[in-house]
């Protein structure tokens, strides 16, 4: 009984340390960060055609004025807004999932789902050594990444449903988008999980973060 209480206390402590505050992503500075990410994403999409021209012809000059005009285009401003809403919605849904896990599940389960993976990798290094930490990170990252990518998938598929209601005649296109979002989410989930394990083998801590970032981006870049 004392052992069980000790274990529960340990999981409760880890959960309280690793969990993120439910409304931090709605603070003014966080909202500015989300808006910046949305703007960077829009800018990267606008620059892609010019970068392709530059790759074909090294003498091609990037037109900064044209890029700014494209970014100010109402259609692209709307895309930035949609990206911003998507980011906020995804994080909000993830925090809701985390709350439900803690409210209706056990602290042990909630702790595994909200674990700070960078800190966890460092803790595992002290207990298991580098190879043991990297091996254990496969399961740890798989559990902790689940709510993140589940939230992304739900938000993206909800966007497809909204588009479908607005344009029922585009059924085939909407189905293709739904399939693309599903496969991309699964691929990024697997890539981030594997990347964190590989990064932990390189260096628990910053290597875990770097590996997860590369693993998350790789499927999207390959799809491009």
């Amino acid at each position: 009984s004392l052992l069980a209480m000790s274990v529960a206390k340990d999981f409760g402590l880890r959960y309280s340390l690793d969990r993120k505050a439910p409304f931090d992503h709605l603070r003014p500075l966080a909202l500015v960060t989300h808006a910046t990410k949305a703007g960077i994403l829009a800018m990267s999409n606008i620059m892609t055609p010019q970068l392709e021209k530059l790759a074909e012809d090294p003498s091609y000059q990037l037109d900064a004025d044209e890029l700014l005009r494209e970014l100010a285009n109402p259609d692209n401003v709307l895309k930035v807004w949609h990206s911003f809403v998507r980011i906020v919605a995804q994080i909000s849904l993830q925090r809701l999932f985390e709350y439900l896990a803690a409210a209706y599940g056990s602290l042990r389960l909630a702790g595994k789902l909200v674990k700070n993976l960078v800190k966890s990798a460092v803790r595992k290094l002290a207990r298991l050594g580098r190879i043991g930490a990297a091996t254990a990170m496969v399961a740890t990252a798989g559990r902790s990444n689940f709510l993140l990518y589940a939230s992304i998938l739900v938000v993206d598929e909800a966007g497809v449903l909204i588009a479908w209601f607005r344009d029922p005649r585009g059924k085939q296109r909407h189905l293709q988008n739904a399939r693309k979002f599903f496969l991309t989410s699964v691929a990024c989930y697997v890539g981030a999980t594997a990347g964190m394990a590989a990064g932990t083998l390189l260096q628990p801590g910053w290597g875990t973060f770097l590996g997860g970032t590369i693993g998350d981006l790789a499927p999207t870049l390959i799809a491009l």
Side-chain angles (χ1 to χ4, degrees), residues 32-148:
V32 170
T33 302
H34 304 330
T36 302
K37 289 180 181 178
I40 291 173
L41 179 61
M43 180 62 79
S44 66
N45 291 333
I46 293 169
M47 289 186 65
T48 297
Q50 292 210 34
L51 292 176
E52 290 175 348
K53 292 179 182 178
L54 183 62
E56 295 172 359
D57 181 11
S59 63
Y60 176 77
Q61 296 292 320
L62 293 175
D63 190 338
D65 291 335
E66 181 181 348
L67 289 174
L68 291 176
R69 283 195 300 271
E70 282 291 321
L71 187 60
N73 184 297
D75 288 340
N76 287 321
V77 172
L78 186 60
K79 289 179 181 178
V80 172
W81 169 249
H82 286 166
S83 295
F84 171 77
V85 171
R86 175 182 176 272
I87 291 170
V88 174
Q90 179 268 307
I91 299 174
S92 298
L93 185 59
Q94 183 181 354
R95 297 292 173 265
L96 174 61
F97 285 159
E98 292 170 355
Y99 167 78
L100 293 175
Y104 297 101
S106 64
L107 276 180
R108 183 187 183 95
L109 172 64
K112 289 181 177 180
L113 292 175
V114 304
K115 196 177 290 293
N116 183 313
L117 293 171
V118 172
K119 293 180 180 178
S120 178
V122 175
R123 293 193 294 253
K124 283 178 171 54
L125 175 64
R127 297 197 319 267
L128 306 172
R130 191 180 299 269
I131 295 177
T135 303
M137 279 303 294
V138 175
T140 301
R143 288 188 295 261
S144 191
N145 282 332
F146 179 76
L147 294 184
L148 167 63

Side-chain angles (χ1 to χ4, degrees), residues 36 169 203:
T36 302
R169 292 174 295 180
Q203 179 60 56

Side-chain angles (χ1 to χ4, degrees), residues 140-163:
T140 301
R143 288 188 295 261
S144 191
N145 282 332
F146 179 76
L147 294 184
L148 167 63
Y149 290 98
S151 303
I152 291 172
L153 179 60
V154 170
V155 169
D156 285 342
E157 298 295 6
V160 172
L161 284 176
I162 292 172

